[in-house]
Amino acid sequence: MANILDSFKLDGKVALVTGGAYGIGFAIAEALAQAGAKIAFNCRGQGHLDQALADYAAKGIEARGYIADVADEEQVAQLVADITADLGTIDILVNNAGIIKRIPMLEMSAADFRQVIDIDLNAPFIVSKAVLPGRIAKGHGKIINICSMMSELGRETIAGYAAAKGGLKMLTRNICSEFGEQNIQCNGIGPGYIATPQTAPLRELQPDGSRHPFDQFICAKTPAARWGTPEDLMGAAVFLASDASNFVNGQVLYVDGGILAYIGKQPS
């Protein structure tokens, strides 16, 4: 029997991490690169792309960056064609690009709701659809959708985000159902509350120097008693991208410090 650790290696695999310029996407791309994968990522603007390339270079990672809007089918088709020409068939897709709009539902416009759905749910459908033919022809492939605890829970002010992430969980299961026989595994990672630029407003100190009430709430609600870091997601990403997870399909792995398992502390 081969060494079990060999099944986690990604040598020679081509990985596309959407929105991989910073935060969770960057950390996942770094992890996949450390495991041996060739990294491609997209940005929507040249400025972000240039900064990301510099950040990858500083980590010693030879990443390829492309400008593309993952909610645009034509741009995605070109993105996949360019990556295939430059690096080869995409073996691993990480649907990470996403946005959140924290707006009370009664104040949220339909346009704002549609924008969140478009980027957080339609885009993973579009990119997955674009890469699937290459995986079917190759006889193997991995898709990792970055879901959320809001794939399971609701909270005020994030109707669009929760709806999109709940839909992404079911898209994950449906891709598994439809393409599992072609040896394609589609799973999700459900991060807990992760310290990134996107969540920075929830961790800002108050004018009196106290912690933000939501920061206090999350640390009290999480058994690990802290926010997660992008690095906390690296192991899960390598597992789901590798042959070690070849019989894991249609699942969402929650990396949340235990928050979904915990009812919370009893008031004193």
Side-chain angles (χ1 to χ4, degrees):
M1 179 179 177
N3 189 318
I4 185 61
L5 294 180
D6 289 340
S7 67
F8 289 87
K9 293 180 179 178
L10 302 176
D11 295 342
K13 302 290 186 181
V14 177
L16 166 59
V17 182
T18 68
Y22 62 91
I24 288 173
F26 186 91
I28 288 176
E30 181 183 357
L32 300 182
Q34 288 180 16
K38 295 181 283 187
I39 302 301
F41 69 97
N42 80 291
C43 291
R44 294 179 67 181
Q46 190 66 47
H48 282 156
L49 182 68
D50 293 341
Q51 181 61 58
L53 288 172
D55 291 340
Y56 278 111
K59 292 278 189 177
I61 299 170
E62 294 184 7
R64 292 288 191 104
Y66 303 82
I67 294 178
D69 179 353
V70 288
D72 184 303
E73 286 187 277
E74 290 186 3
Q75 291 188 39
V76 168
Q78 188 62 55
L79 171 67
V80 172
D82 289 343
I83 294 170
T84 302
D86 292 341
L87 299 175
T89 300
I90 297 168
D91 301 288
I92 302 157
L93 167 63
V94 182
N95 281 311
N96 165 76
I99 63 168
I100 187 169
K101 289 180 178 281
R102 297 183 180 93
I103 305 170
M105 184 170 171
L106 293 182
E107 300 172 16
M108 189 176 204
S109 69
D112 280 333
F113 187 89
R114 288 191 189 100
Q115 185 184 20
V116 176
I117 297 293
D118 204 31
I119 296 172
D120 292 1
L121 181 56
N122 286 344
F125 166 78
I126 290 168
V127 185
S128 297
K129 182 181 175 184
V131 304
L132 277 164
R135 278 98 173 291
I136 293 169
K138 199 169 186 178
H140 188 42
K142 302 280 186 173
I143 296 174
I144 302 171
N145 292 324
I146 303 304
C147 297
S148 168
M149 290 189 306
M150 300 310 145
S151 298
E152 303 289 343
L153 302 172
R155 189 170 69 79
E156 64 278 4
T157 77
I158 57 166
Y161 185 79
K165 293 300 185 177
L168 187 57
K169 175 182 71 175
M170 294 310 301
L171 178 63
T172 300
R173 292 178 177 176
N174 205 78
I175 292 172
C176 157
S177 301
E178 194 161 349
F179 300 100
E181 194 170 354
Q182 280 76 44
N183 195 27
I184 292 163
Q185 291 85 50
C186 180
N187 293 288
I189 294 176
Y193 281 90
I194 306 296
T196 67
Q198 192 178 61
T199 59
L202 304 176
R203 291 177 282 109
E204 291 177 349
L205 290 178
Q206 302 302 286
D208 63 1
S210 64
R211 289 164 57 195
H212 192 292
F214 194 81
D215 181 14
Q216 298 180 51
F217 166 70
I218 289 303
C219 290
K221 185 70 177 71
T222 306
R226 66 173 176 86
W227 287 69
T229 67
E231 290 72 24
D232 287 321
L233 303 168
M234 294 171 82
V238 170
F239 168 62
L240 292 177
S242 72
D243 288 345
S245 61
N246 279 352
F247 205 56
V248 178
N249 211 351
Q251 306 301 310
V252 179
L253 174 54
Y254 289 98
V255 185
D256 65 354
I259 193 169
L260 283 175
Y262 187 42
I263 196 171
K265 295 180 180 179
Q266 179 177 324
S268 57

